[in-house]
Amino acid sequence: MSEWSPITQTGAFSEGQAELYRQLVEDTSSLICTFLPDSTLTFVNAAYARFFDKRPEELAGRKFLDLIPSEEDRRAIRARFTSLTPKERAVTYEQPILALGGEECWQRWAYRAFFDDNGHVLYYQGTGEDISELHQREHGLALYRTALESTVEAVFLTNGEGNIVWINRGLTTLTGYTLEEAAGCNPREVFKSGHQDEAHYRELWKTIRSGETWRGDVVNRRKDGSLYHAEETITPVRGLKGEITHFVSVLHDITGRLRILEALRDSEERFRTLVQEARDAIFVLSVEGNLVSLNPAAERITGIPREDMLGEHFLTIVHPDDHARTIGLFDRTFQGELPAPFEIRVRHATGDYIPMECMTTPQYRKERIVGVMGVARDIRDRRALEEQVRQLQKLDSIGRLTAGIAHDFNNMLTVQEGYLSLLCDDPEMPDRFRPNLREVALATDRAARLTRQLLLFSRKQVMDARSIDLGEMVHNLSKMLARIIGEHIVLEIHCSENLPPVRADAGMLEQVIFNLSINARDAMPEGGRLALTVDPVRLDARDTGRHPEARPGCFLRLTVSDTGHGMTPDTLEHAFEPFFTTKETGKGTGLGLSTTYGVIKQHEGWIEVTSRPEKGTTFTIHLPVDTGDAAPSASRPILSAEERSGNETVLLVEDDPAVLEMVRLILSQQGYRVLTAESGTMALEQWKAHAGVIDLLLTDMVLRGGLSGNDLAKRLIAEKPNLKVLLVSGYHPESVDASESRSRFVFLQKPCPPQELLQAVRESLSKP
């Protein structure tokens, strides 16, 4: 096609020059052609023909657009060259072309239009080149850039001097710096935190300048001043001549991971501390049942060194009688169950066995049971407290029974004492009978004292409580105590100064001190030491676990300790039971400690005892501190026989017929008019009929039928406010507010002689 070439037709070159240019056109790898406005080819070089798999002469006169298989490509090419004008004679563009084989290739074309003098197109000249490989490389670079921009890792590129030339979005996210802010800066200046020293940077530069990759952990600073931890990798980049031109740095933020690891370490440390400091034994068993882990508490509880237990089968420290049951429970745990807490006996280093409560749970690893973890609690203290509670419940039951017996016995003694008094006061009584009556009276008095002791034990004895100085009381009793215990026993008194008062019945507490001191004397027949100590204590919740009745608060602690022969555990178990004694027959009633127990309970305190054979005994009493002011009770004046008489009307309420008749007789003999009732209901009937003439209600506090004497008095006073009330009882149950009763009414304790009854009646009637 060279004979059609526009170049040869212009005459602008000599024949030699034209041949030279023709040879250059033929030898170039660029696609060169000329074509008319209708795309008819007027010249193609060899490269152009090869692209279409033709020889140049085969393309002569062909329209090159017909050689393009894609209609879309044809329209795009036509639009390019037809857009040229005399003012815009050339255009260059890149476009993907679908080749004859169906493969896509990228080409870059430059079209130039040649016009005549009238501005009409004469022909077009096109020069193209295949840029598919270049496009693929650029596409690959674009992919790499997109990948680097999209990665969560922070990446930046520095030049050979170490200055930043490019960063990705990951670095901006991590540090807060944009490319504009970071470009041209040295990373050490931008990210420096002060956590890396000069030796770190020297080693880093030495490594990367030698062409090797550097890896390490760094602490850098963000734009806002906060720090982050990262794993950094710096890789040298070499140029065409092998020289190092740039460095690529990749930062992997490990701040979150380090926080998680720190939290895990803290959690593990807390768990380890919890296990190591736990009071309960914590253990782990292998699937074979061997002990593979034990905390210090296991050694502390059993007394067996951990190294002697580790690796051994757990049955080696379990009581033989518990083997079968324990194996069954552990087997259930190995099968994935969670058995309820169970008790086993574990061997102590001394050979004894300790009761322990166990809880077990399967230990999993990758959803497979690989062992058993358990917690074992020493329940010796709990057993001891449970035993104390059982003893207290037993004592309470005995106390209720004792109170009932004492109440009925009190009524009998009241009748007996009343009639004895009447007989003794009868002037017609023959003198030969009076000595016998005095003996009966003495026996009655001893029976009354015994009854009061029983009521003290059952906490039903009426208390005359007032604010007292316990230390002063102990000091005042010391001389009498010294005489009671004898010269062979050394008495020591230790009382703190400025002791707070306690609200108590002084007579009852004196009896407690005497009872404990006499017991101590009897425990030291060959002499010893008796010490009484009074000191204030403040208890909190941590101090209340040793005794079931202990509670937080301020107390006075009275300690009575001796160096006597002590008590065995069996004796200790029954120490506070009434009528229990270790003394010889006739040497004791067995009511001393039971009375002491009842008195302390009635004073809202508690008593503890510790003792060992031949090591002495210590009783510790806690009494609550009195926080109010208490005024001492005034004693009754002694009235003459004439003053004890009267003519008023008395409503007498008593559910014991014998007592009722005896009191009626005594009052009637002194001139009183007496209306009687055996229950609260009957008393209301008498009141309904005679309310206007009744001057005094004399009633037992405890009545059959549900209406107590106290409640009866309140109902009648509501109707007649000036009614006088005399309450009589051997004891009052907890349901009665004794302090209220005694503040509003006159109170008389049974049994009492007729003279005391008459004096109380006169006192009640004279009360304003």
Side-chain angles (χ1 to χ4, degrees), residues 464-468 501-504 626-633:
D464 183 17
R466 63 189 67 192
S467 187
I468 65 172
V502 293
R503 187 163 183 78
D626 182 19
T627 57
D629 297 326
S633 302

Side-chain angles (χ1 to χ4, degrees), residues 228-361:
Y228 64 91
H229 296 256
E231 293 175 344
E232 185 172 15
T233 301
I234 304 177
T235 304
V237 178
R238 297 184 181 274
L240 297 177
K241 298 179 180 180
E243 77 282 9
I244 297 175
T245 60
H246 295 81
F247 300 99
V248 177
S249 296
V250 180
L251 292 168
H252 176 63
D253 185 9
I254 59 172
T255 308
R257 186 175 75 188
L258 291 179
R259 288 199 188 107
I260 293 173
L261 291 174
E262 184 67 22
L264 285 174
R265 282 193 293 270
D266 290 344
S267 177
E268 290 175 358
E269 184 61 30
R270 286 194 298 270
F271 178 75
R272 185 179 298 106
T273 302
L274 178 65
V275 171
Q276 295 297 312
E277 300 299 327
R279 297 177 61 186
D280 297 332
I282 300 175
F283 61 91
V284 177
L285 299 181
S286 66
V287 291
E288 295 80 17
N290 296 328
L291 291 161
V292 297
S293 179
L294 289 166
N295 70 335
E299 179 175 332
R300 186 171 59 251
I301 294 172
T302 64
I304 304 173
R306 280 190 292 173
E307 54 269 21
D308 292 348
M309 291 186 283
L310 291 173
E312 297 294 326
H313 198 277
F314 74 92
L315 289 179
T316 59
I317 58 172
V318 175
H319 194 286
D321 293 345
D322 295 342
H323 280 191
R325 182 170 57 89
T326 307
I327 290 173
L329 291 166
F330 277 96
D331 283 347
R332 287 172 55 190
T333 308
F334 276 113
Q335 293 168 11
E337 297 183 32
L338 294 175
F342 56 92
E343 292 186 11
I344 60 173
R345 288 168 288 178
V346 175
R347 179 170 54 86
H348 191 270
T350 60
D352 296 329
Y353 283 89
I354 306 166
M356 302 192 78
E357 184 181 69
C358 289
M359 293 182 293
T360 56
T361 183

Side-chain angles (χ1 to χ4, degrees), residues 735-764:
S735 60
V736 176
D737 189 343
S739 61
E740 178 186 356
S741 301
R742 297 186 68 183
S743 64
R744 298 182 58 187
F745 316 133
V746 176
F747 186 86
L748 183 63
Q749 184 177 350
K750 294 194 296 185
C752 62
Q755 295 82 359
E756 190 173 338
L757 170 65
L758 291 170
Q759 180 161 322
V761 169
R762 191 71 261 163
E763 179 184 336
S764 300

Side-chain angles (χ1 to χ4, degrees), residues 525-600:
E526 298 178 358
R529 182 179 59 85
L530 172 63
L532 278 70
T533 304
V534 183
D535 58 342
V537 292
R538 179 187 293 273
L539 303 181
D540 57 26
R542 296 172 297 180
D543 304 317
T544 59
R546 65 179 183 273
H547 194 278
E549 296 181 356
R551 62 188 184 275
C554 295
F555 300 88
L556 275 192
R557 179 172 58 195
L558 169 62
T559 305
V560 181
S561 60
D562 64 61
T563 58
H565 52 62
M567 290 184 275
T568 64
D570 183 64
T571 302
L572 270 177
E573 184 177 346
H574 301 283
F576 295 112
E577 295 180 10
F579 306 111
F580 176 81
T581 180
T582 58
K583 299 175 183 178
E584 299 177 9
T585 304
K587 292 288 185 70
T589 63
L591 288 173
L593 288 182
S594 59
T595 299
T596 297
Y597 170 83
V599 169
I600 301 307

Side-chain angles (χ1 to χ4, degrees), residues 638-672:
I638 304 299
L639 303 178
S640 65
E642 293 76 13
E643 291 174 325
R644 293 197 294 267
S645 300
N647 57 6
E648 290 91 345
T649 300
V650 179
L651 175 57
L652 173 62
V653 187
E654 170 59 59
D655 56 8
D656 188 300
V659 176
L660 180 70
E661 177 58 25
M662 188 269 296
V663 175
R664 187 199 66 76
L665 179 61
I666 292 173
L667 293 175
S668 297
Q669 288 181 350
Q670 296 297 320
Y672 293 103

